[in-house]
Amino acid sequence: MFLDHPTITATNSLSEPDRIERLNRVYGYAMALADAENNPAFVDKLTQLHDHKGTLIVFWHEAPSEHDRSCWARAWASRVGDGTVNVEHEF
């Protein structure tokens, strides 16, 4: 069992707690995509997820591959995410 999950934060999370719930769903979605594509290193690269007013910011320990980036883009654009392609990556 993996226990070193990334920190999950959101702008205005106290007044809009649904943002944290959405990030938890998106995290699960992206992890499932990576797992289905046999990418176990995916989770080890992550440090934090942040929802900044509808933009997902993914923080990494090391530079993500294009495949890693696409997992987040797909998850954020999905119905459990924001439904947009507003995703930024920081490392």
Side-chain angles (χ1 to χ4, degrees):
M1 182 162 114
F2 183 78
L3 297 176
D4 195 19
H5 298 284
T7 303
I8 295 177
T9 60
T11 302
N12 301 326
S13 62
L14 294 177
S15 60
E16 300 175 53
D18 57 309
R19 291 184 180 276
I20 298 296
E21 177 60 33
R22 177 171 62 183
L23 284 172
N24 281 313
R25 290 190 310 260
V26 167
Y27 174 56
Y29 190 115
M31 288 298 299
L33 288 172
D35 190 49
E37 296 173 357
N38 198 26
N39 184 3
F42 180 82
V43 70
D44 295 325
K45 297 178 186 180
L46 296 169
T47 62
Q48 180 181 354
L49 302 176
H50 180 74
D51 176 353
H52 180 70
K53 300 179 182 178
T55 297
L56 173 64
I57 305 172
V58 184
F59 294 86
W60 303 85
H61 286 293
E62 59 186 77
S65 69
E66 195 56 43
H67 179 265
D68 294 339
R69 291 172 183 253
S70 75
C71 287
W72 290 108
R74 289 172 61 190
W76 196 242
S78 74
R79 291 185 70 181
V80 302
D82 190 59
T84 69
V85 293
N86 299 332
V87 180
E88 298 177 6
H89 300 273
E90 300 286 335
F91 51 94

